[in-house]
């Protein structure tokens, strides 16, 4: 009988595990709470109106439709029973969906962490899902609309103040694009308000932007952001916020900044499934809620259960795309070798392909194989690599076309549809009406600089 | 002093009025409750995952950003005061926005009409706005996901039954695309369910589909739809419905069909602003809520106030794109001639460019200048004309690329992102959580066949 493999999560880790099992004598079921594989490194481009969601979020069942031994299910995992070898999930209508497995791969990713200050979630949304990105986009665009109808200059300035908390790749990429929107794209669209006046502030608790990058690239990034009109505030933490302001603590003490938009890009916390697994195998999760795994990504005492990606703590690997992809692929190969009885692959070894981030207008920093790239050359590298990793030629060509149109020729943003109701929701107190916050996890204290996201 | 022109609505009528005033000594303000101009004839393609919203809904302020005498405002009009020459609107946060005018153009369009059965709105959403289209798309896609996890064959059949009420162009185009989704695109994406089994039913109260078209094209359309697996039921009305079924009355009497999806494409009713205007100038709206206007689109006794498009009754013109565009352009020219003191243009005359509709896979019917086209030739004509009328080369090329990818090469649908929460909302009772129904207008009794939409 074919090996029943259940994979939880269709992100980088899960999808690579599924693909590595193509053709194997297995029945692979990938369960995800969305219908799509999300290419998170470009999520900030959805949040700023460059790309439509579809190009970076292809339907999972469409991605694997040529793999006859794999199927996808839209359901939310509620319980993992390692003793009974059963995954208990629920369909969108709450109906129980039970999946028995011979082998289990858990690749459930991570969500934002507010470092124990969960009350911030209401005031500073984060960006981990496609819905998060759409919500940020609607919010950013609505603020410019409000500025255009505001008559009081002080109020107008508040609508045009954007604060991003956390200067990891996600935060840097977001402020870069918000600055491009305000200073390049939107000025000719507005008559009453001059969007050049927008204030875009980047807060970072560490003494440099892009904390894990080389000092040279950090300095370049900060200089470039400042040239594009971003206020970079280092050694500065968010200590309080409400719907109209944020209070920060920096080298000069406390300051309250009036700002109608605050975005959280400061930290992540592993999926609650990590803690659930840890409880069953008798290990402790780390401060970011991640479960420690064996060198082959299996769980202690459970060779048939694997965990990969952002939810695991393995050799200090960062929570970005590459480790998840490589771990997923490795685990898929390992399961395949067990099915065929062939020799198991060599122990998992991470191959560091480097890291990169865009900085606004046609510029990026990249650090690969010890070589450092900046500016337009970095940007071309960044664009090439990100397009290459997108799934399917249709999405690749569509993305190139959309970039050409948005960034090179028109300086336009085609994907910025909002309505009166959207704007109402976005500017109302909290996001109770149509937006939905990502699930907030039990707080685990993590330092602000440690866990930047994006790959 | 420049003539203050206020235009209400940035659709086909309003936008053409604004554009015709380019360069005139005027201050033109276009007020809309969304931030975009909507190309409604392609809305069904958003509802079925072919096009992303951005390509057919460019930001209004971006569309007019080269016209220096025009500006756009996101606000909702609450009151028209013709005596004081003031438009009273509200911003998304409820703040009053007052606009004084010398000349007013009202182009506020139409919404669905349920022919007095407003309780149907909860069970059979319509499609007039981009939000409506996204809601329909999320709903259609979620039903296939539910069918995949359903275990009871009877229940599965209900998830896979789609009923569209009204066989005007919108209804025909929707069933054509739902059939293509179920019978061409999705089968290879699903493992448990065979989406070929989907039942797609088109209800029409009249004795033929596409009631305003020539009998030859009607017959062709019906034959083609049936060949693609659509059940066409003529002389059949929806008499009752709930969340799981619809009761219809046809030639064979009453029948209740178990169906989890019902879509309303049967009729429209003018914007409530038509009734508001009518009250102030002392005329009566017609059964579809439309206001009668003078031959030059001005209101009786108010030469400085014009109404155009779907909300007006003028010479029996249908509520589609062409009359709105031509009326808007005419009114813009007329206002311009008044400003310059030049001779007024000749009285408005409608130039009928014909009508067309797609019928599923690479096929369309078109009736232009007395010549009738069907099948692939009709489809090529349809595609060419619709691309031509889109705004901007960026959207035109983007649409051609997306069509090539979706319809010709991959038979895929790139824009079908849903999440667990979306699915929960779509299958729950009503759309109370994140979806929003289009505003339902006071019921005005209109026969089911008379007022089909789309251009």
């Amino acid at each position: 009988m074919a090996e029943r493999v259940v994979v939880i999560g269709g992100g980088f880790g899960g999808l690579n595990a599924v693909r590595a099992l193509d053709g194997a004598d297995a029945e692979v079921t990938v369960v995800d709470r969305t219908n799509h594989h999300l290419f998170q490194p470009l999520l900030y481009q959805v949040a700023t109106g460059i790309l439509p969601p579809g190009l970076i979020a292809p339907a999972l069942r469409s991605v694997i439709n040529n793999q006859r031994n794999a199927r996808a299910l839209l359901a939310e995992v509620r319980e993992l029973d390692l003793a009974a070898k059963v995954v208990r999930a629920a369909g969108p209508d709450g109906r129980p969906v039970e999946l028995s497995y011979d082998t289990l791969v858990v690749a459930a990713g991570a969500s934002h962490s507010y470092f124990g200050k969960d009350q911030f979630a209401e005031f500073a949304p984060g960006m981990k899902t496609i819905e998060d990105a759409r919500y940020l986009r609607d919010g950013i665009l609505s603020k410019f609309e409000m500025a255009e109808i505001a008559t009081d200059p002080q109020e107008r300035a508040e609508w045009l103040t954007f604060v991003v908390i956390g200067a990891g790749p996600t935060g840097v990429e977001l402020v870069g694009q918000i600055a491009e929107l305000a200073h390049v794209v939107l000025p000719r669209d507005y008559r009453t308000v001059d969007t050049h006046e927008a204030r875009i502030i980047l807060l970072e608790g560490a003494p440099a932007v892009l904390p894990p990058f080389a000092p040279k690239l950090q300095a370049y990034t900060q200089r470039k952001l400042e040239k594009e009109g971003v206020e970079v505030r280092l050694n500065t933490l968010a200590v309080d916020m409400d719907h109209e302001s944020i209070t920060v603590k920096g080298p000069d003490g406390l300051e309250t900044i009036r700002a109608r938009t605050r975005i959280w890009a400061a930290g992540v916390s592993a999926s609650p499934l990590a803690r659930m697994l840890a409880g069953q195998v008798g290990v402790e999760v780390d401060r970011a809620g991640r479960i420690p795994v064996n060198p082959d990504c299996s769980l202690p005492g459970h060779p048939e259960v694997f965990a990969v990606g952002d939810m695991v703590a393995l050799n200090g690997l960062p929570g970005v795309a590459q480790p998840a992809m490589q771990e997923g692929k490795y685990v898929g190969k390992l399961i395949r070798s067990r099915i065929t009885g062939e020799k198991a692959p060599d122990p998992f070894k991470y191959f560091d392909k480097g890291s990169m981030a865009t900085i606004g207008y046609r510029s990026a920093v990249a650090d690969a194989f010890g070589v450092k790239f900046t500016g337009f050359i970095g940007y071309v590298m960044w664009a090439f690599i990100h397009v290459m990793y997108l799934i399917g030629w249709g999405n690749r060509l569509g993305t190139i076309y959309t970039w050409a149109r948005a960034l090179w020729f028109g300086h336009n943003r085609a994907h910025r549809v909002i309505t009166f109701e959207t704007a109402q929701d976005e500017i109302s107190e909290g996001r109770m009406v149509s937006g939905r916050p990502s699930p907030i996890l039990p707080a685990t204290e993590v330092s602000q600089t440690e866990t930047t996201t994006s790959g």
Side-chain angles (χ1 to χ4, degrees), chain A:
Chain A
M1 207 178 105
E3 176 94 355
R4 292 165 306 170
V5 181
V6 172
V7 177
I8 299 173
F12 289 119
L15 182 57
N16 277 279
V18 171
R19 284 181 154 182
L21 285 163
D22 192 9
D25 183 22
E27 281 174 9
V28 184
T29 302
V30 52
V31 191
D32 198 294
R33 61 191 310 291
T34 76
N35 76 333
H36 50 272
H37 168 74
L38 178 60
F39 191 76
Q40 282 192 352
L42 290 177
L43 204 46
Y44 79 95
Q45 297 209 347
V46 171
T48 50
I50 299 173
L51 292 176
L55 290 181
I56 65 161
L60 199 47
R61 51 178 78 258
S62 162
V63 170
I64 61 171
N65 67 10
N66 286 325
Q67 185 173 336
R68 298 312 303 177
N69 70 353
R71 64 174 184 147
L73 275 190
L74 178 73
E76 187 172 68
V77 172
R78 299 281 162 85
E79 198 190 337
L80 303 172
D81 186 339
L82 301 193
K85 294 193 178 183
V86 167
V87 172
R88 297 199 179 87
D93 60 348
R95 85 178 59 207
V97 176
E98 275 209 4
L99 300 163
S100 294
Y101 64 82
D102 301 310
T103 300
L104 174 67
V105 180
V106 189
S111 183
H112 335 297
S113 163
Y114 288 89
F115 311 130
K117 295 193 169 166
D118 288 357
Q119 70 276 20
F120 286 0
E122 186 185 349
F123 309 114
M127 186 184 70
K128 288 297 281 182
T129 69
I130 207 87
E131 284 303 324
D132 291 341
R134 282 204 273 224
Y135 177 72
L136 288 183
R137 177 181 72 187
D138 293 348
I140 292 166
L141 295 173
S142 297
K143 305 306 160 52
F144 286 100
E145 297 295 336
M146 290 306 298
E148 181 79 351
I149 62 172
T151 45
D152 173 52
Q154 169 60 32
E155 188 204 339
R156 179 174 294 168
E158 291 176 15
W159 290 116
L160 291 181
T161 303
F162 301 84
V163 180
V164 174
I165 303 128
T170 298
V172 165
E173 289 175 326
L174 272 172
V175 289
Q177 276 308 321
I178 296 173
E180 191 173 331
L181 265 179
H183 301 153
V184 182
V185 177
L186 294 181
R188 69 208 156 126
D189 279 9
Y190 285 84
R191 298 291 184 263
T192 310
V193 68
D194 180 359
T195 63
H196 287 108
E197 289 169 8
R199 255 184 102 189
I200 297 130
I201 303 169
L202 180 63
L203 304 181
E204 172 55 51
V209 299
L210 295 179
F213 282 62
K216 182 189 150 189
L217 298 182
Q218 293 174 339
Y220 178 88
T221 301
Q222 181 170 351
R223 221 162 47 234
K224 180 87 172 117
L225 287 176
E226 283 170 347
K227 205 176 135 201
E228 290 179 8
V230 176
E231 288 176 41
V232 178
R233 300 201 178 189
L234 304 173
N235 300 303
T236 302
L237 293 163
V239 294
D240 199 11
M241 51 181 90
D242 60 27
H243 285 293
E244 295 175 356
S245 70
I246 176 169
T247 301
V248 302
K249 190 178 168 190
D252 303 330
L254 287 172
E255 186 194 352
T256 296
I257 303 165
R258 305 281 298 173
R260 301 278 187 149
T261 306
R262 300 146 305 270
I263 300 172
W264 192 262
V268 296
S269 181
S271 159
L273 294 186
R275 196 179 294 268
M276 196 185 290
L277 283 174
Q280 291 189 44
V281 302
V283 297
E284 291 285 321
V285 297
D286 71 4
R287 291 183 307 158
R290 299 178 302 180
I291 185 172
V293 292
N294 293 330
D296 65 355
C297 296
S298 67
L299 295 195
H302 283 273
E304 81 288 4
V305 180
F306 299 88
V308 298
D310 292 4
M311 62 180 281
V312 309
L314 178 66
N315 302 333
L317 293 177
V320 295
Q322 281 298 333
M325 294 171 85
Q326 294 180 29
E327 288 160 13
K329 194 171 174 185
Y330 173 83
V331 164
K333 281 185 182 171
L334 180 59
I335 298 168
R336 173 194 281 273
S337 75
R338 288 186 190 166
I339 295 170
T340 57
E342 284 168 24
K343 189 175 136 310
D346 291 334
F348 175 69
K349 200 163 161 245
Y350 177 59
F351 177 58
D352 187 358
K353 297 185 182 173
S355 47
M356 45 187 18
T358 58
I359 333 166
Y361 186 55
R362 292 188 211 175
S363 183
V365 288
D367 192 342
F369 311 116
V371 188
K372 289 161 190 58
F373 302 90
T374 57
F376 188 66
I377 294 177
Y379 177 73
V380 170
M381 276 188 59
W382 173 91
F384 180 79
I385 286 173
H386 281 72
V387 163
M388 201 178 74
Y389 274 108
L390 279 176
I391 287 182
W393 282 103
N395 290 329
R396 287 183 196 128
L397 290 176
T399 299
I400 290 169
Y401 173 77
T402 311
W403 282 351
R405 186 182 166 197
L407 305 173
W408 301 324
F409 297 116
H411 294 303
N412 200 344
R413 294 287 181 276
H415 301 281
R416 46 169 162 148
V417 173
I418 57 171
T419 66
F420 195 77
E421 285 81 10
T422 321
Q424 273 183 319
D425 294 352
E426 303 310 318
I427 63 166
S428 68
E429 311 278 299
R431 53 190 292 191
M432 295 299 111
V433 189
S434 81
R436 282 172 177 282
S438 292
I440 305 308
L441 301 169
T444 40
E445 201 57 44
V446 184
S447 84
Q448 191 159 357
T449 60
E450 200 175 56
T451 51
T452 46
T453 55
S454 168

